[in-house]
Amino acid sequence: QVQLVESGGGLVQAGGSLRLSCAASGSIVSMTAMGWYRQSPGKQRDLVARITQGTGHTNYADSVKGRFTISSANAKNTVNLQMDSLTPEDSAVYYCFANVWGRQYWGQGTQVTVSS
């Protein structure tokens, strides 16, 4: 089993910044990637950013490129998402994920609200 604990969501004004963190624990020796999805009411859950363990290769949704930065820390058991220049369109529940042995695990989600 893999446990993911997220932190760092909240309310911020447009143009502001937030930093999300996700700590993984449990059977994570074979973890291949971590990252973040987000979901707004009535919409599907979409990938925001991911980072590949080992290579550190990153992928971003087009809508966040140049504004969000994903990184790993703590022997790669933690993934951070630095979000800058936030807009109201970034408001959503953000879910951390981890891929381990071909299975995707999810965190509980953290709310990000950007006011205009």
Side-chain angles (χ1 to χ4, degrees):
Q1 283 293 334
V2 175
Q3 295 79 42
L4 300 173
V5 178
E6 301 147 336
S7 60
L11 173 64
V12 66
Q13 288 188 332
S17 298
L18 281 174
R19 184 179 177 88
L20 305 182
S21 292
C22 176
S25 61
S27 301
I28 59 174
V29 173
S30 298
M31 185 163 59
T32 55
M34 292 186 74
W36 297 88
Y37 278 70
R38 67 186 181 187
Q39 187 169 23
S40 302
K43 295 186 178 180
Q44 67 180 21
R45 190 174 296 188
D46 291 325
L47 177 68
V48 176
R50 74 189 298 271
I51 185 166
T52 301
Q53 302 293 77
T55 66
H57 180 71
T58 58
N59 297 94
Y60 295 93
D62 287 342
S63 60
V64 307
K65 283 180 180 177
R67 300 187 298 119
F68 291 12
T69 303
I70 191 170
S71 61
S72 58
N74 297 333
K76 300 182 180 180
N77 292 343
T78 298
V79 64
N80 300 311
L81 186 67
Q82 178 66 38
M83 304 186 294
D84 299 319
S85 302
L86 286 161
T87 73
E89 289 68 35
D90 295 315
S91 297
V93 177
Y94 283 69
Y95 294 92
C96 175
F97 76 90
N99 292 338
V100 181
W101 282 116
R103 178 177 174 180
Q104 193 150 312
Y105 294 85
W106 296 97
Q108 78 281 4
T110 185
Q111 178 70 48
V112 170
T113 303
V114 184
S115 63
S116 57

